[in-house]
Structure formats: structure tokens, C-alpha cells
Amino acid sequence: MPSPYRAIFATPGTKGFTGAGIIGRLPLAMVGIGVLTMITELGGSYGLAGALTGTIALSAAAVGPQISRLVDQYGQRRVLRPATLITVAAVTGLLVAAANGWPSWTLFPFAVFAGCVPSVGSMVRARWTALFRDTPQLHTAYSFESIVDELCFIVGPPLAATLSAGWFPEAGPVVALVCLLTGVWWLTALTATEPKPHPHEEHTDRSSALRSPGLQVLVATFVATGAIFGSVDVSTLAFAEEQGSKSLGGVFLAVWAFGSCLAGIVFGLLHFKGRAEPRWLLGISAMAVSMIPLLLAGNLPFLAVALFVSGLAIAPTMITTMALIEAHVPHAKLTEGMTWISTGLAVGIALGSFVTGLVVDAAGAQTGYVVSITAGIAAAAVGFAGYRRLQRPAQGEEPATDGDGDSTAAQHGTDRVA
């Protein structure tokens, strides 16, 4: 590893919770495609499979922030283990119902409760924040976490699909459950690095982290960003199929994720001066502009190059977003705040996938990238419209100033490396 990454792992406990976090978050990338492959392998329709995966995603988007809010209040161990057991029981019920040919409607209650899956990535980022708050190492840690996210989405979907298609239909979701149980139990056993909970007291602010004006802007922007992701996924798979290379669709999406992963590695090695907000807005705008070449791609090689270039804007923008959350959400609500970003992405992915599917059916795969460009423009528009809100400190905290008089309340993470 380059020296900045080696430096963060010199702190005791970091290797343990990182390993647990990698195993525990891999199911997030496996469950959707695993359930989809399982249903189709068992003879179900793509419509049923898509409806089930969408139900799981939307349930997780609704329940995830509430679980993280309880984590902020009671601690990771007390909340994550029961939530994980609910998820395991629900997915197990889904597998049993599907394997035994139960009526389709019986699958959906299990899918709803499967959404109790905790946001392991947010839990790990909260541990990094507790260790490195207000230090340059936090930027490097956030960068590393974005790299891990991309690697999980490179490895997870093809692994789940291969297991379910090549071993037995339920294999993908079963392995995902084993990873979830292992990762969460390992993570919650590492109490030395667990962030201190903030129990509610008589005068404690019990409002949601989403009341933060800055977080509202970030979440709204990432709903549109999620629509980019969902749209590109559907359009790319459909385009590969139209070109007679359906099996390569997943490879092209992996190229997209690889571009993001590579950018995240480099971004973590850089030191920045100045505020994070302009850098975040530049990243959102770059993501929007990078959608244009996808619409112009007339063949698969051109599409691969366009996807790789497009991916370069993703991880740096995500890293800067996490730094802004740490700046604009009170410390006692940090885990909840990070999970709201995942919620925004999940909602956006669901919407983007649905709309793009309709467009592709009506006008062809390449036209689906029009939805990607539209979502990118929407993300940039929300970012510009809400820019002033991002310059406010976290609720109940006064902005500090550095030697130049700049506010540092909005300069955590990427901006403290100066």
C-alpha cells in the first residue's frame, strides 16, 4: 500500500474492523442479483424477480436510517445483531418459499423484512471517524472505504450470479447471508473501536439527522445520482444484449466500477487546500458531463472507454460527500447521517432502473442513456441550488475558523489534509 494507507492501518484495531466490514458489506452487492438469479433459475419471471429485488432495496432505504439512528443511541453491538438476525430469518423464509413454489404474493412480506439489513459501510466509516476526526488521516480512511465499496460491487454481483446459476439456485443468497452474519458478529465483537453511543437524555435533541440543511441537499442530490447508477446499469446491460454480447454486460459494468476504484486510490493520496463544497460540486458536475459520451457510443469498445472515464468521477465525489456529512451532521447522529446517503442512492437506483427500463423497451438501449444524462443534470441542478446550505455548520455547533479565517466546520476530512 502507498504510505498514507499504511499509516491509517498502523492504528490498533483498524485492520480488524476493516476485515469485518469487507465481509459484512459484500452481501449488499450480492443479495439483489442473487435473488434475481434464484427466481429466474427456479422458473419465475423477470418481472417477479425485479419486483422482489426492488422491494428489498426500498425496504432497506426506509429502514436503514432508523437502524442507524438506534445505533447512534445504543451502540453498534446492541442494535446490529438483532437487526441482522431479522434479515437472516426473512431471507431464509424467502428462499424456502421460492424453492417450494409458494404463491408469489407470499414472497413479498419476506422481502420487506429483508430490508432490515444494516448499513455495514456506515458503521465502519463511523469507526474511522471516531479514530481520526479532525485529522488528515480521515480523508485517507474515507478514500479507502470508497475503494472497498467499488471492489465489493465488482466482485459481489458476478459471484452471486455464478453461485446461483452454477451451483444451486439459492446459493448466491445463502453465501450472502453467511457473509453478513460473519461480518456483523466479527465487527460488533470489536468493542475497542466501537464509537461511543449517545443515549437520549432529558435535553437531548431527538430529531432526525435529516433536519440538517446540508444533509438535505446531499441526500436530494444523491437520489438523482442513484438514478444515474440505475440508468447506466440497465442501459449498459441492454446495449450489450443488442450488440449480441449479453454475457459481457456485467464486464462493462465492472469496467465502470474499476474506473471509480482507480480514481479513489489516487484521490486518497492527494492533499487539498480550501473548502470541500466547491470540490463536491465539481464532482457532481463532472458526473453529469461524463454521461454524454455514453449516449454517443456506437459500439462496445467505445462504450467500455466511456464507462471507464465516467467512473473516474464517482469515488472522489463519494469521498468528499462523506467528509461533508461529517461536517454538517452533529456527531451524535453521524451514523444515521451516513446511512441517509445510502437511502438516497437506493431510492434513486430504483427510480432510475424503472424509468430506464420503460425507455429501453420503447426506444432502444442507447436511448436509455438519455435518462442518465437527465439524472446527471438534475443532480448538478440540486447541488447548485443547495450550495448555500452546505456552507452552514452542523445544527447546534458553531463553526470554528482556521488561521485564515475560513470556517472549518465544513472542512472535515478532505479539507483538513491541507
Side-chain angles (χ1 to χ4, degrees):
M1 285 187 180
S3 57
Y5 293 105
R6 288 202 306 269
I8 62 175
F9 287 106
T11 303
T14 54
K15 293 178 182 178
F17 71 67
T18 297
I22 292 173
I23 296 173
R25 84 180 70 181
L26 191 59
L28 182 65
M30 294 179 64
V31 168
I33 191 67
V35 169
L36 189 148
T37 306
M38 177 190 71
I39 294 296
T40 55
E41 286 291 318
L42 291 172
S45 67
Y46 277 97
L48 173 61
L52 286 171
T53 55
T55 300
I56 294 173
L58 292 177
S59 175
V63 177
Q66 311 312 317
I67 293 175
S68 294
R69 188 175 184 180
L70 292 173
V71 167
D72 285 328
Q73 183 179 353
Y74 297 108
Q76 293 186 1
R77 183 186 180 95
R78 292 181 61 186
V79 176
L80 296 189
R81 291 189 173 185
T84 298
L85 290 177
I86 293 173
T87 299
V88 170
V91 175
T92 301
L94 178 61
L95 301 185
V96 171
N100 287 279
W102 293 8
S104 297
W105 68 267
T106 62
L107 305 180
F108 287 92
F110 292 118
V112 170
F113 282 97
C116 289
V117 59
S119 177
V120 176
S122 297
M123 307 304 157
V124 175
R125 284 183 171 91
R127 292 187 180 227
W128 285 118
T129 306
L131 289 175
F132 295 134
R133 179 175 280 118
D134 300 341
T135 69
Q137 286 79 12
L138 188 59
H139 166 69
T140 306
Y142 283 163
S143 300
F144 179 80
E145 288 303 308
S146 289
I147 295 167
V148 171
D149 284 340
E150 296 301 337
L151 289 175
C152 286
F153 277 94
I154 291 173
V155 174
L159 175 61
T162 301
L163 287 170
S164 291
W167 193 6
F168 58 93
E170 300 85 0
V174 167
V175 172
L177 290 183
V178 172
C179 289
L180 180 63
L181 273 172
T182 303
V184 169
W185 248 254
W186 182 9
L187 180 68
T188 53
L190 303 174
T191 56
T193 55
E194 181 178 349
K196 181 181 177 182
H198 300 272
H200 287 167
E201 298 176 355
E202 183 179 353
H203 300 293
T204 300
D205 178 11
R206 302 189 181 187
S207 61
S208 170
L210 198 56
R211 291 191 62 183
S212 165
L215 183 60
Q216 292 170 4
V217 174
L218 296 174
V219 172
T221 303
F222 269 72
V223 170
T225 302
I228 294 176
F229 296 164
S231 174
V232 170
D233 283 349
V234 173
S235 298
T236 300
L237 293 174
F239 188 80
E241 183 174 4
E242 283 187 358
Q243 296 292 312
S245 302
K246 181 179 179 180
S247 60
L248 292 179
V251 175
F252 286 106
L253 293 178
V255 169
W256 191 35
F258 177 72
S260 176
C261 182
L262 185 63
I265 293 173
V266 175
F267 195 74
L269 301 176
L270 302 178
H271 288 201
F272 298 98
K273 295 183 179 180
R275 301 175 65 90
E277 292 89 343
R279 195 174 307 118
W280 174 82
L281 197 57
L282 177 62
I284 293 294
S285 301
M287 289 178 63
V289 173
S290 69
M291 294 296 107
I292 298 175
L294 300 180
L295 184 61
L296 303 176
N299 53 61
L300 291 177
F302 189 102
L303 178 65
V305 174
L307 284 169
F308 176 81
V309 173
S310 172
L312 297 176
I314 297 174
T317 305
M318 293 295 295
I319 295 164
T320 309
T321 299
M322 291 301 169
L324 288 174
I325 293 172
E326 201 268 329
H328 289 278
V329 174
H331 297 164
K333 303 176 182 179
L334 181 62
T335 310
E336 180 195 350
M338 289 180 172
T339 307
W340 273 113
I341 290 296
S342 300
T343 293
L345 281 173
V347 171
I349 289 172
L351 291 174
S353 300
F354 174 72
V355 174
T356 305
L358 297 178
V359 172
V360 168
D361 287 341
Q366 198 160 11
T367 309
Y369 290 117
V370 172
V371 180
S372 309
I373 296 173
T374 303
I377 293 172
V382 173
F384 276 101
Y387 185 74
R388 288 181 177 272
R389 291 189 174 195
L390 290 177
Q391 297 177 323
R392 304 176 188 176
Q395 186 177 357
E397 297 183 14
E398 292 298 326
T401 56
D402 59 19
D404 297 324
D406 292 330
S407 168
T408 58
Q411 297 184 51
H412 288 275
T414 54
D415 294 293
R416 296 196 190 279
V417 296

